[in-house]
PDB file of all heavy atoms in Angstrom:
ATOM      1  N   ALA A   1     167.806  45.061 174.072  1.00 67.00           N
ATOM      2  CA  ALA A   1     167.286  43.710 173.912  1.00 67.00           C
ATOM      3  C   ALA A   1     167.394  43.296 172.448  1.00 67.00           C
ATOM      4  O   ALA A   1     167.159  44.096 171.551  1.00 67.00           O
ATOM      5  CB  ALA A   1     165.833  43.646 174.367  1.00 67.00           C
ATOM      6  N   THR A   2     167.761  42.056 172.196  1.00 67.00           N
ATOM      7  CA  THR A   2     167.879  41.535 170.844  1.00 67.00           C
ATOM      8  C   THR A   2     166.558  40.911 170.418  1.00 67.00           C
ATOM      9  O   THR A   2     166.153  39.882 170.965  1.00 67.00           O
ATOM     10  CB  THR A   2     169.004  40.488 170.757  1.00 67.00           C
ATOM     11  OG1 THR A   2     170.247  41.108 171.105  1.00 67.00           O
ATOM     12  CG2 THR A   2     169.106  39.921 169.355  1.00 67.00           C
ATOM     13  N   PRO A   3     165.830  41.524 169.450  1.00 62.00           N
ATOM     14  CA  PRO A   3     164.506  41.013 169.074  1.00 62.00           C
ATOM     15  C   PRO A   3     164.600  39.910 168.028  1.00 62.00           C
ATOM     16  O   PRO A   3     164.977  40.152 166.889  1.00 62.00           O
ATOM     17  CB  PRO A   3     163.821  42.251 168.485  1.00 62.00           C
ATOM     18  CG  PRO A   3     164.951  43.041 167.894  1.00 62.00           C
ATOM     19  CD  PRO A   3     166.184  42.748 168.725  1.00 62.00           C
ATOM     20  N   PHE A   4     164.262  38.716 168.411  1.00 60.00           N
ATOM     21  CA  PHE A   4     164.245  37.620 167.453  1.00 60.00           C
ATOM     22  C   PHE A   4     162.869  37.413 166.837  1.00 60.00           C
ATOM     23  O   PHE A   4     162.667  36.555 166.011  1.00 60.00           O
ATOM     24  CB  PHE A   4     164.719  36.328 168.115  1.00 60.00           C
ATOM     25  CG  PHE A   4     166.202  36.316 168.362  1.00 60.00           C
ATOM     26  CD1 PHE A   4     166.716  35.813 169.531  1.00 60.00           C
ATOM     27  CD2 PHE A   4     167.079  36.835 167.422  1.00 60.00           C
ATOM     28  CE1 PHE A   4     168.076  35.803 169.765  1.00 60.00           C
ATOM     29  CE2 PHE A   4     168.445  36.837 167.655  1.00 60.00           C
ATOM     30  CZ  PHE A   4     168.948  36.311 168.828  1.00 60.00           C
ATOM     31  N   LEU A   5     161.890  38.177 167.256  1.00 53.00           N
ATOM     32  CA  LEU A   5     160.601  38.223 166.581  1.00 53.00           C
ATOM     33  C   LEU A   5     160.206  39.683 166.475  1.00 53.00           C
ATOM     34  O   LEU A   5     159.875  40.321 167.470  1.00 53.00           O
ATOM     35  CB  LEU A   5     159.537  37.425 167.358  1.00 53.00           C
ATOM     36  CG  LEU A   5     158.166  37.286 166.691  1.00 53.00           C
ATOM     37  CD1 LEU A   5     158.303  36.479 165.407  1.00 53.00           C
ATOM     38  CD2 LEU A   5     157.173  36.592 167.616  1.00 53.00           C
ATOM     39  N   VAL A   6     160.314  40.245 165.277  1.00 46.00           N
ATOM     40  CA  VAL A   6     160.120  41.671 165.103  1.00 46.00           C
ATOM     41  C   VAL A   6     158.676  41.993 164.802  1.00 46.00           C
ATOM     42  O   VAL A   6     157.889  41.127 164.407  1.00 46.00           O
ATOM     43  CB  VAL A   6     161.039  42.229 163.998  1.00 46.00           C
ATOM     44  CG1 VAL A   6     162.463  42.111 164.408  1.00 46.00           C
ATOM     45  CG2 VAL A   6     160.792  41.555 162.688  1.00 46.00           C
ATOM     46  N   ARG A   7     158.328  43.260 164.974  1.00 39.00           N
ATOM     47  CA  ARG A   7     156.944  43.686 164.846  1.00 39.00           C
ATOM     48  C   ARG A   7     156.391  43.527 163.448  1.00 39.00           C
ATOM     49  O   ARG A   7     155.183  43.437 163.251  1.00 39.00           O
ATOM     50  CB  ARG A   7     156.834  45.142 165.289  1.00 39.00           C
ATOM     51  CG  ARG A   7     157.104  45.331 166.776  1.00 39.00           C
ATOM     52  CD  ARG A   7     157.077  46.803 167.154  1.00 39.00           C
ATOM     53  NE  ARG A   7     157.380  46.990 168.562  1.00 39.00           N
ATOM     54  CZ  ARG A   7     157.558  48.169 169.131  1.00 39.00           C
ATOM     55  NH1 ARG A   7     157.461  49.248 168.406  1.00 39.00           N
ATOM     56  NH2 ARG A   7     157.839  48.264 170.413  1.00 39.00           N
ATOM     57  N   SER A   8     157.266  43.512 162.457  1.00 40.00           N
ATOM     58  CA  SER A   8     156.797  43.353 161.087  1.00 40.00           C
ATOM     59  C   SER A   8     156.327  41.939 160.809  1.00 40.00           C
ATOM     60  O   SER A   8     155.948  41.623 159.688  1.00 40.00           O
ATOM     61  CB  SER A   8     157.912  43.724 160.112  1.00 40.00           C
ATOM     62  OG  SER A   8     159.034  42.877 160.297  1.00 40.00           O
ATOM     63  N   ALA A   9     156.350  41.098 161.827  1.00 42.00           N
ATOM     64  CA  ALA A   9     155.904  39.705 161.734  1.00 42.00           C
ATOM     65  C   ALA A   9     156.858  38.824 160.952  1.00 42.00           C
ATOM     66  O   ALA A   9     156.537  37.689 160.628  1.00 42.00           O
ATOM     67  CB  ALA A   9     154.507  39.600 161.133  1.00 42.00           C
ATOM     68  N   LYS A  10     158.048  39.347 160.637  1.00 51.00           N
ATOM     69  CA  LYS A  10     159.068  38.490 160.044  1.00 51.00           C
ATOM     70  C   LYS A  10     159.693  37.675 161.161  1.00 51.00           C
ATOM     71  O   LYS A  10     160.322  38.198 162.055  1.00 51.00           O
ATOM     72  CB  LYS A  10     160.130  39.310 159.328  1.00 51.00           C
ATOM     73  CG  LYS A  10     159.624  40.143 158.171  1.00 51.00           C
ATOM     74  CD  LYS A  10     160.782  40.821 157.503  1.00 51.00           C
ATOM     75  CE  LYS A  10     160.323  41.707 156.376  1.00 51.00           C
ATOM     76  NZ  LYS A  10     159.830  42.950 156.859  1.00 51.00           N
ATOM     77  N   SER A  11     159.564  36.398 161.102  1.00 54.00           N
ATOM     78  CA  SER A  11     160.046  35.556 162.181  1.00 54.00           C
ATOM     79  C   SER A  11     161.562  35.418 162.127  1.00 54.00           C
ATOM     80  O   SER A  11     162.129  35.104 161.093  1.00 54.00           O
ATOM     81  CB  SER A  11     159.399  34.178 162.116  1.00 54.00           C
ATOM     82  OG  SER A  11     159.945  33.333 163.121  1.00 54.00           O
ATOM     83  N   LEU A  12     162.196  35.697 163.235  1.00 59.00           N
ATOM     84  CA  LEU A  12     163.624  35.481 163.370  1.00 59.00           C
ATOM     85  C   LEU A  12     163.925  34.381 164.373  1.00 59.00           C
ATOM     86  O   LEU A  12     165.039  34.249 164.846  1.00 59.00           O
ATOM     87  CB  LEU A  12     164.315  36.775 163.816  1.00 59.00           C
ATOM     88  CG  LEU A  12     164.359  37.900 162.794  1.00 59.00           C
ATOM     89  CD1 LEU A  12     165.032  39.118 163.376  1.00 59.00           C
ATOM     90  CD2 LEU A  12     165.094  37.463 161.560  1.00 59.00           C
ATOM     91  N   VAL A  13     162.903  33.614 164.720  1.00 57.00           N
ATOM     92  CA  VAL A  13     163.092  32.536 165.676  1.00 57.00           C
ATOM     93  C   VAL A  13     163.805  31.390 164.972  1.00 57.00           C
ATOM     94  O   VAL A  13     163.232  30.681 164.162  1.00 57.00           O
ATOM     95  CB  VAL A  13     161.754  32.070 166.271  1.00 57.00           C
ATOM     96  CG1 VAL A  13     161.979  30.923 167.236  1.00 57.00           C
ATOM     97  CG2 VAL A  13     161.064  33.220 166.987  1.00 57.00           C
ATOM     98  N   LYS A  14     165.064  31.251 165.222  1.00 64.00           N
ATOM     99  CA  LYS A  14     165.885  30.231 164.600  1.00 64.00           C
ATOM    100  C   LYS A  14     166.515  29.366 165.673  1.00 64.00           C
ATOM    101  O   LYS A  14     166.491  29.690 166.863  1.00 64.00           O
ATOM    102  CB  LYS A  14     166.996  30.876 163.747  1.00 64.00           C
ATOM    103  CG  LYS A  14     166.508  31.839 162.679  1.00 64.00           C
ATOM    104  CD  LYS A  14     165.900  31.119 161.515  1.00 64.00           C
ATOM    105  CE  LYS A  14     165.489  32.091 160.425  1.00 64.00           C
ATOM    106  NZ  LYS A  14     164.848  31.400 159.272  1.00 64.00           N
ATOM    107  N   ASN A  15     167.059  28.263 165.219  1.00 77.00           N
ATOM    108  CA  ASN A  15     167.825  27.417 166.127  1.00 77.00           C
ATOM    109  C   ASN A  15     169.257  27.944 166.168  1.00 77.00           C
ATOM    110  O   ASN A  15     170.178  27.397 165.586  1.00 77.00           O
ATOM    111  CB  ASN A  15     167.796  25.962 165.643  1.00 77.00           C
ATOM    112  CG  ASN A  15     168.571  25.025 166.570  1.00 77.00           C
ATOM    113  OD1 ASN A  15     168.690  25.286 167.770  1.00 77.00           O
ATOM    114  ND2 ASN A  15     169.104  23.947 166.012  1.00 77.00           N
ATOM    115  N   TRP A  16     169.411  29.075 166.882  1.00 84.00           N
ATOM    116  CA  TRP A  16     170.734  29.687 166.950  1.00 84.00           C
ATOM    117  C   TRP A  16     171.665  28.791 167.732  1.00 84.00           C
ATOM    118  O   TRP A  16     171.379  28.415 168.867  1.00 84.00           O
ATOM    119  CB  TRP A  16     170.661  31.066 167.618  1.00 84.00           C
ATOM    120  CG  TRP A  16     169.715  32.024 166.955  1.00 84.00           C
ATOM    121  CD1 TRP A  16     168.566  32.533 167.483  1.00 84.00           C
ATOM    122  CD2 TRP A  16     169.824  32.587 165.649  1.00 84.00           C
ATOM    123  NE1 TRP A  16     167.958  33.382 166.601  1.00 84.00           N
ATOM    124  CE2 TRP A  16     168.714  33.434 165.447  1.00 84.00           C
ATOM    125  CE3 TRP A  16     170.747  32.461 164.619  1.00 84.00           C
ATOM    126  CZ2 TRP A  16     168.508  34.149 164.282  1.00 84.00           C
ATOM    127  CZ3 TRP A  16     170.538  33.179 163.449  1.00 84.00           C
ATOM    128  CH2 TRP A  16     169.442  34.002 163.287  1.00 84.00           C
ATOM    129  N   VAL A  17     172.794  28.424 167.140  1.00 86.00           N
ATOM    130  CA  VAL A  17     173.695  27.460 167.771  1.00 86.00           C
ATOM    131  C   VAL A  17     174.997  28.081 168.241  1.00 86.00           C
ATOM    132  O   VAL A  17     175.763  27.455 168.969  1.00 86.00           O
ATOM    133  CB  VAL A  17     174.006  26.279 166.820  1.00 86.00           C
ATOM    134  CG1 VAL A  17     172.733  25.557 166.428  1.00 86.00           C
ATOM    135  CG2 VAL A  17     174.751  26.757 165.577  1.00 86.00           C
ATOM    136  N   GLN A  18     175.266  29.326 167.834  1.00 88.00           N
ATOM    137  CA  GLN A  18     176.548  29.927 168.169  1.00 88.00           C
ATOM    138  C   GLN A  18     176.437  31.442 168.101  1.00 88.00           C
ATOM    139  O   GLN A  18     175.704  31.994 167.278  1.00 88.00           O
ATOM    140  CB  GLN A  18     177.634  29.436 167.201  1.00 88.00           C
ATOM    141  CG  GLN A  18     179.065  29.823 167.573  1.00 88.00           C
ATOM    142  CD  GLN A  18     180.087  29.091 166.706  1.00 88.00           C
ATOM    143  OE1 GLN A  18     180.008  27.878 166.543  1.00 88.00           O
ATOM    144  NE2 GLN A  18     181.032  29.827 166.152  1.00 88.00           N
ATOM    145  N   VAL A  19     177.146  32.123 168.998  1.00 90.00           N
ATOM    146  CA  VAL A  19     177.234  33.577 168.989  1.00 90.00           C
ATOM    147  C   VAL A  19     178.703  33.954 168.806  1.00 90.00           C
ATOM    148  O   VAL A  19     179.552  33.557 169.606  1.00 90.00           O
ATOM    149  CB  VAL A  19     176.692  34.203 170.286  1.00 90.00           C
ATOM    150  CG1 VAL A  19     176.779  35.724 170.201  1.00 90.00           C
ATOM    151  CG2 VAL A  19     175.262  33.771 170.551  1.00 90.00           C
ATOM    152  N   ASN A  20     179.012  34.687 167.744  1.00 90.00           N
ATOM    153  CA  ASN A  20     180.374  35.098 167.445  1.00 90.00           C
ATOM    154  C   ASN A  20     180.549  36.593 167.699  1.00 90.00           C
ATOM    155  O   ASN A  20     179.622  37.380 167.494  1.00 90.00           O
ATOM    156  CB  ASN A  20     180.727  34.801 165.985  1.00 90.00           C
ATOM    157  CG  ASN A  20     180.531  33.342 165.636  1.00 90.00           C
ATOM    158  OD1 ASN A  20     180.912  32.457 166.389  1.00 90.00           O
ATOM    159  ND2 ASN A  20     179.937  33.085 164.487  1.00 90.00           N
ATOM    160  N   THR A  21     181.728  36.979 168.123  1.00 92.00           N
ATOM    161  CA  THR A  21     182.045  38.378 168.355  1.00 92.00           C
ATOM    162  C   THR A  21     183.346  38.722 167.637  1.00 92.00           C
ATOM    163  O   THR A  21     184.335  38.013 167.768  1.00 92.00           O
ATOM    164  CB  THR A  21     182.197  38.683 169.857  1.00 92.00           C
ATOM    165  OG1 THR A  21     180.994  38.334 170.549  1.00 92.00           O
ATOM    166  CG2 THR A  21     182.480  40.167 170.077  1.00 92.00           C
ATOM    167  N   SER A  22     183.333  39.805 166.862  1.00 93.00           N
ATOM    168  CA  SER A  22     184.546  40.267 166.192  1.00 93.00           C
ATOM    169  C   SER A  22     184.830  41.707 166.588  1.00 93.00           C
ATOM    170  O   SER A  22     183.910  42.506 166.783  1.00 93.00           O
ATOM    171  CB  SER A  22     184.423  40.160 164.667  1.00 93.00           C
ATOM    172  OG  SER A  22     183.547  41.142 164.146  1.00 93.00           O
ATOM    173  N   VAL A  23     186.096  42.042 166.718  1.00 94.00           N
ATOM    174  CA  VAL A  23     186.551  43.399 167.023  1.00 94.00           C
ATOM    175  C   VAL A  23     187.483  43.843 165.901  1.00 94.00           C
ATOM    176  O   VAL A  23     188.458  43.156 165.595  1.00 94.00           O
ATOM    177  CB  VAL A  23     187.275  43.464 168.380  1.00 94.00           C
ATOM    178  CG1 VAL A  23     187.720  44.903 168.665  1.00 94.00           C
ATOM    179  CG2 VAL A  23     186.390  42.947 169.504  1.00 94.00           C
ATOM    180  N   SER A  24     187.180  44.972 165.288  1.00 94.00           N
ATOM    181  CA  SER A  24     188.037  45.548 164.252  1.00 94.00           C
ATOM    182  C   SER A  24     188.675  46.813 164.813  1.00 94.00           C
ATOM    183  O   SER A  24     187.989  47.791 165.103  1.00 94.00           O
ATOM    184  CB  SER A  24     187.226  45.873 162.994  1.00 94.00           C
ATOM    185  OG  SER A  24     186.646  44.697 162.452  1.00 94.00           O
ATOM    186  N   PHE A  25     189.988  46.794 164.965  1.00 94.00           N
ATOM    187  CA  PHE A  25     190.679  47.891 165.628  1.00 94.00           C
ATOM    188  C   PHE A  25     190.703  49.171 164.793  1.00 94.00           C
ATOM    189  O   PHE A  25     190.698  50.270 165.334  1.00 94.00           O
ATOM    190  CB  PHE A  25     192.117  47.486 165.977  1.00 94.00           C
ATOM    191  CG  PHE A  25     192.216  46.322 166.923  1.00 94.00           C
ATOM    192  CD1 PHE A  25     192.887  45.171 166.564  1.00 94.00           C
ATOM    193  CD2 PHE A  25     191.628  46.388 168.175  1.00 94.00           C
ATOM    194  CE1 PHE A  25     192.980  44.107 167.425  1.00 94.00           C
ATOM    195  CE2 PHE A  25     191.709  45.316 169.059  1.00 94.00           C
ATOM    196  CZ  PHE A  25     192.381  44.173 168.683  1.00 94.00           C
ATOM    197  N   GLU A  26     190.747  49.028 163.485  1.00 93.00           N
ATOM    198  CA  GLU A  26     190.935  50.199 162.632  1.00 93.00           C
ATOM    199  C   GLU A  26     189.690  50.502 161.821  1.00 93.00           C
ATOM    200  O   GLU A  26     188.933  49.605 161.450  1.00 93.00           O
ATOM    201  CB  GLU A  26     192.127  49.981 161.691  1.00 93.00           C
ATOM    202  CG  GLU A  26     193.463  49.831 162.402  1.00 93.00           C
ATOM    203  CD  GLU A  26     194.629  49.769 161.437  1.00 93.00           C
ATOM    204  OE1 GLU A  26     194.651  50.564 160.482  1.00 93.00           O
ATOM    205  OE2 GLU A  26     195.505  48.906 161.635  1.00 93.00           O
TER     206      GLU A  26
END
């Protein structure tokens, strides 16, 4: 699971607008 609100109380709740994926072969 991807935690966007972590236990340390640092808020990661953002208006995420895009998810990018990169693959590095080497």
Side-chain angles (χ1 to χ4, degrees):
T2 299
F4 287 139
L5 185 65
V6 295
R7 293 176 182 173
S8 61
K10 298 184 182 80
S11 176
L12 291 179
V13 179
K14 304 285 183 182
N15 181 28
W16 304 114
V17 300
Q18 189 170 311
V19 181
N20 304 316
T21 302
S22 72
V23 181
S24 299
F25 299 121
E26 296 186 43

